[in-house]
Amino acid sequence: MEAHRQMEDQAAAFLARRDGDDWTEANQVELEQWLAGSIARRVAFLRLEAAWDEARRLKALSAGLPSGVVPPAGEWRHSPFFDPESAASPRVEAVAPAVSTHSSSAKGNVRDATRVRPLAFAATVLLALGVGAYFISTPRGDRYSTPIGGIASVPLSDGSNITLNTATQVRVELTPHERDIRLDAGEAFFEVAHDPARPFVVQVGNTRIIAVGTKFSVRREGDDVRVVVTEGKVRVESQSRRGGGLGVTSKSEGDADAMPDATRDGPPGAVFLTPGSVASASDDGIVIENEALAEVEDDLTWRQGYFTFHDTSLADAVAEFNRYNKHQIVIEDPAVAAIRISGTFRALNYEAFVRVLDDGFAIHSRSSEDTTTLRK
Amino acid sequence: MDESLDTWFKREILVHEASLVRYLLRTWPNREEVYDLRQDAYVRVYEAAAKSRPQSPKSFLFATARNLMADHTRRRRIVVIDAVGDLDALNVLVDELSPESRTSAFEDLRRLADAFDQLPPKCRETVWMRRVDDLPQREVATRLGISQKTVEKHVMKGMKLLAAALFRSEGSGRAETTEHEKQRKEQSRGSP
């Protein structure tokens, strides 16, 4: 019964030689003759060939590494995922410190839980932006923006730092009394230098987020605003167009006896958020959820150029990819949209994502230059 | 070479290797023979599929493996109690492990990454340079200061180890099925 193992060795020898630089027509003939010898040879060959093809997928994890450099075992998975070739990453610096990609719980995607409106909206609106991040200075402050797929780190003169996510527009005006930021579109992560004399105010539509020294992210989808705090404390104020009487709902997913981290305070319609708090503000009010910090940080892995899904519907995952790529993915089949996936993906590598769907879930894809459609 | 049959075989059959091996290990008393049983099952499935592709490839693969074990059992005139018991449970097992319930494709990627990290250092470097950087073997040889023949050996070893690790049965699925197995046995004991 040694035969199978011998065949495996022979198959490996053929494949390794074919993988080399001196594979000739004669070698090919030799291989085909060998394969024709028995089905057992063929299946041994196919099996190794499949594994060797599969090894190509390591490419998905090689981002940011120069050619010819082999990452040390284990370490490479923590490397930042910036794609240096992408024209769409304008001022790529070592952005924020690496966050944990491990989630302490698998309760479901934070965004999933709080997002009220579909994301596809954001993607279509922002497609209009051109390629190449730009910076414009005007008397009324500086403007920064990123194209679809771009990430930019913007250090401010007060020592704060803003990380702009894909398709994001931010205005910055630093005065002696206030640090005035406007998030006109997209998503940004703020690391605020401590300065009690000059509050750091992020205005997003009707919502104001006020910080002294802290770290938080803000995402805008039309009039909906989502604030995630990872460090320190921020105040969120929302001015409803209907005026006054803004509802604040708090739902805690954690232990029932734990005090909610976010508390009502100050003017009506204002709440304080502490690390792990996720606030969603819309004209209907502010909804606050308290999540494990690790989960919240999974939500912010875009700063490293990738996103992390936990039991996320394919519809939502695709919407995320569409936010980052001009190439749009369209799901044609509701059954496909409902599939739930987990994992970490490079934001710009939608091709790898589609391939993974194909391989892992037998979802068929059809690609044209600017769209990929998915169906069972 | 029937290209489409080969592609079909990789996509529909080889992907189930982890479950297949898990099933064989649980059912067949002699671990050393599992490798050969697996390859024999592949041969039978490939031969059958050359004539006509089975409707449900996974069930067909498992049924083939079961028949193979039954043949061996008959031929050797040995009765493997556990094997007989497990053979009856086959349908449950196959349903339970439908492709949709596979963890996530990211799991596959992580498994690949782990398998890759387990390779011996030079072999690992060779695999990376060939598969990720697409450097020709000649260039890999120069960079590693080894002969092309040695690069070829590393490639051989790399693909064999990766295949073994990628298709290896491991992870949470095992605990679940083992638990399921226990329950099933208890039930069958309770109702004669």
Side-chain angles (χ1 to χ4, degrees), chain A residues 9 19 49 59 68 74 356, chain B residues 10 46 105 117 130 133-134 160:
Chain A
D9 288 343
D19 184 71
E49 191 179 48
K59 278 188 182 175
V356 154
Chain B
K10 285 179 187 169
Y46 191 95
D117 275 353
R130 280 293 304 126
D133 294 332
D134 291 322
K160 285 200 285 183

Side-chain angles (χ1 to χ4, degrees), chain A residues 249-306:
Chain A
T249 318
S250 182
K251 38 179 183 176
S252 180
E253 282 198 7
D255 305 348
D257 56 351
M259 283 295 290
D261 286 332
T263 47
R264 281 193 74 154
D265 204 348
V271 287
F272 277 103
L273 302 178
T274 50
S277 298
V278 177
S280 305
S282 68
D283 279 353
D284 300 331
I286 305 176
V287 176
I288 295 148
E289 281 190 73
N290 295 306
E291 306 278 351
L293 200 53
E295 269 183 50
V296 166
E297 289 194 332
D298 270 354
D299 226 20
L300 299 174
T301 51
W302 59 262
R303 290 172 297 158
Q304 276 76 42
Y306 59 99

Side-chain angles (χ1 to χ4, degrees), chain B residues 4-22:
Chain B
S4 64
L5 177 58
D6 288 353
T7 311
W8 174 87
F9 186 77
K10 285 179 187 169
R11 193 185 60 234
E12 300 293 340
I13 300 300
L14 287 177
V15 292
H16 301 303
E17 183 161 311
S19 335
L20 175 67
V21 170
R22 200 151 55 219

Side-chain angles (χ1 to χ4, degrees), chain A residues 1 4-5, chain B residues 17-42 65 68-69 72 76 169:
Chain A
M1 291 288 259
H4 280 311
R5 295 200 191 263
Chain B
E17 183 161 311
S19 335
L20 175 67
V21 170
R22 200 151 55 219
Y23 170 61
L24 291 170
L25 280 171
R26 226 185 21 243
T27 314
W28 196 249
N30 189 348
R31 289 181 74 89
E32 279 87 74
E33 290 170 355
V34 162
Y35 179 99
D36 289 319
L37 280 171
R38 181 193 75 201
Q39 292 304 110
D40 285 336
Y42 285 161
L68 199 58
M69 286 189 282
H72 279 291
R76 297 187 201 177
S169 53

Side-chain angles (χ1 to χ4, degrees), chain A residues 1 4 8-9 12 16-17 19-22 35 42 47 49 52 59 68-69 71 73-74 76 342 356, chain B residues 1 10 17 35-36 38-40 46 104-105 113 117 124 128 130-134 137-138 143 156 160:
Chain A
M1 291 288 259
H4 280 311
E8 179 176 62
D9 288 343
R17 232 191 310 152
D19 184 71
D21 316 320
D22 307 314
L35 286 172
R42 188 176 290 271
R47 183 173 169 274
E49 191 179 48
W52 192 237
K59 278 188 182 175
V69 175
W76 52 274
S342 299
V356 154
Chain B
M1 194 188 251
K10 285 179 187 169
E17 183 161 311
Y35 179 99
D36 289 319
R38 181 193 75 201
Q39 292 304 110
D40 285 336
Y46 191 95
S104 72
D117 275 353
R124 187 171 172 279
W128 184 271
R130 280 293 304 126
R131 298 277 77 178
V132 178
D133 294 332
D134 291 322
Q137 283 193 7
R138 193 174 288 118
R143 294 209 185 189
M156 273 179 74
K160 285 200 285 183

